[in-house]
C-alpha cells in the first residue's frame, strides 16, 4: 500500500515556489498568456469548456488514485485511459490552463492500513466529476476503510497540459506493467503540479453553499457517511454567520438551519430508506435558501 499522500496546503505552496516540476512552475508565471475570460463571449465559452474538461480529467485521475490504493487496478487503468484521452484533446485546444477563479474540489479523507490520505475530486456545475462511484463505495467497504472527513475546498489552478499528458502516458505504461507504486507517483505528480494553493473561505455563506452542494452529491450517490461530514462543514459555516452579527434575519435563519442540519446528520446514521429519500430534498431546499441569502446581500 502506497504511503504517498496528496500534499497539504503548506506543502503545495512550497512545492510550487521552491521545488515544483519546472514546467508547472513556469505555467504559473505565464498566467498573462492565457486569454482573459472576459475578453469575448467566444473566449468565455471556450474557457468554461476547457475548465470543464480539465475538471473531468482530474476527476478521472483522482478516482484512479483511490482505486489503486484500494487495489482495484483494472478499474483504475480504465480511468487513466479516459484521463489520457481528455488530455490529448486538451493539448490541442488549451496547452495551458489557468483558472481565473478558484476551482472547487470535494476533498475526501480516508484512513486505512494505518495511512490517512486525501483525495481530490473536482466539482463542475455543482456535480462531482467522478464515474463508477459504486465501484469506489463497494471497494471501500471491502477494504474496511474509515471515512475521516469530507468537505469542499477551493484552489487556484495552473497546469501545463503537455506535462499532464506526459505523466498520464507514463502512468498508462506503469499500470499496464502492474507497477502500482510507479503509477501512483505519476498521478500524484499531476495533482501536485496542478494546484497552486488553497484559497481560504473568507465568506461563510459561500462555505455553507459549497458544502451543501457536496453533501447533496454524496446523498444522491447513497454515500451517507461522507454526506454527514460535508453537512458538518456547512454547520461550521452557519456558526460563523451567527457569530458575524450581520444581517439579523440571516443570523436567526442560520441558527435554525444549523439545528435542522444537525438533526438530519443524526437521522442519516439510521438505516432508513424513507430518511434517505427525504434527505436529498431537504439539502436542495437549504441550498436554495442560502443562495437566496447571498442574492439579498449582493443587492
Amino acid at each position: 500500500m502506497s504511503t504517498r499522500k496528496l500534499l497539504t496546503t503548506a506543502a503545495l505552496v512550497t512545492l510550487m515556489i521552491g521545488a515544483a516540476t519546472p514546467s508547472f512552475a513556469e505555467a504559473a508565471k505565464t498566467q498573462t498568456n492565457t486569454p482573459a475570460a472576459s475578453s469575448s463571449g467566444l473566449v468565455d465559452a471556450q474557457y468554461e469548456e476547457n475548465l470543464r474538461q480539465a475538471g473531468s480529467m482530474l476527476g478521472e485521475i483522482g478516482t484512479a488514485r483511490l482505486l489503486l490504493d484500494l487495489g482495484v487496478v483494472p478499474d483504475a487503468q480504465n480511468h487513466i485511459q479516459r484521463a489520457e484521452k481528455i488530455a490529448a484533446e486538451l493539448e490541442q485546444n488549451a496547452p495551458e490552463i489557468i483558472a481565473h477563479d478558484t476551482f472547487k474540489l470535494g476533498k475526501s479523507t480516508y484512513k486505512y492500513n494505518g495511512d490517512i490520505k486525501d483525495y481530490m475530486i473536482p466539482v463542475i456545475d455543482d456535480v462531482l466529476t467522478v464515474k463508477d462511484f459504486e465501484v469506489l463505495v463497494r471497494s471501500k467497504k471491502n477494504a474496511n476503510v474509515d471515512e475521516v472527513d469530507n468537505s469542499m475546498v477551493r484552489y487556484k489552478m495552473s497546469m501545463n497540459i503537455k506535462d499532464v499528458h506526459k505523466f498520464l502516458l507514463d502512468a498508462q505504461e506503469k499500470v499496464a506493467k502492474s507497477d502500482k507504486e510507479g503509477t501512483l507517483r505519476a498521478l500524484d505528480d499531476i495533482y501536485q503540479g496542478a494546484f497552486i494553493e488553497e484559497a481560504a473561505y473568507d465568506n461563510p455563506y459561500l462555505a455553507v453553499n459549497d458544502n451543501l452542494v457536496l453533501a447533496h452529491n454524496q446523498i444522491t450517490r447513497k454515500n451517507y457517511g461522507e454526506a454527514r461530514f460535508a453537512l458538518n462543514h456547512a454547520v461550521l459555516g452557519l456558526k460563523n454567520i451567527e457569530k458575524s452579527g450581520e444581517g439579523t434575519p440571516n443570523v436567526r435563519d442560520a441558527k435554525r438551519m444549523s439545528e435542522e442540519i444537525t438533526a438530519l446528520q443524526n437521522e442519516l446514521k439510521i438505516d432508513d430508506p424513507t430518511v434517505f429519500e427525504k434527505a436529498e430534498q431537504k439539502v436542495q431546499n437549504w441550498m436554495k435558501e442560502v443562495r437566496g441569502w447571498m442574492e439579498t446581500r449582493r443587492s
Side-chain angles (χ1 to χ4, degrees), residues 134-151:
E134 301 78 12
V135 176
L136 289 175
V137 173
R138 185 170 61 252
S139 300
K140 284 185 288 185
K141 288 180 179 177
N142 292 342
N144 193 27
V145 177
D146 292 324
E147 295 158 342
V148 176
D149 200 7
N150 191 225
S151 65

Side-chain angles (χ1 to χ4, degrees), residues 56 61 71 81 104 109 111 130 137 162 171 189 218 245 274:
S56 295
I61 294 167
Q81 290 172 349
K104 289 191 292 187
T109 305
K111 180 179 181 180
V130 57
V137 173
K162 289 183 179 180
D189 282 337
Q218 301 294 13
T274 59

Side-chain angles (χ1 to χ4, degrees), residues 7-15 155 198:
L7 298 182
T8 61
T9 302
L12 264 171
V13 176
T14 302
L15 175 69
Y155 272 85
E198 188 172 347

Side-chain angles (χ1 to χ4, degrees), residues 217-234:
N217 271 267
Q218 301 294 13
I219 289 171
T220 58
R221 290 168 169 80
K222 297 180 173 55
N223 202 6
Y224 305 114
E226 292 192 351
R228 289 198 301 272
F229 285 117
L231 288 172
N232 187 57
H233 284 277

Side-chain angles (χ1 to χ4, degrees), residues 44 48 158:
D44 247 356
E48 292 296 336
S158 175

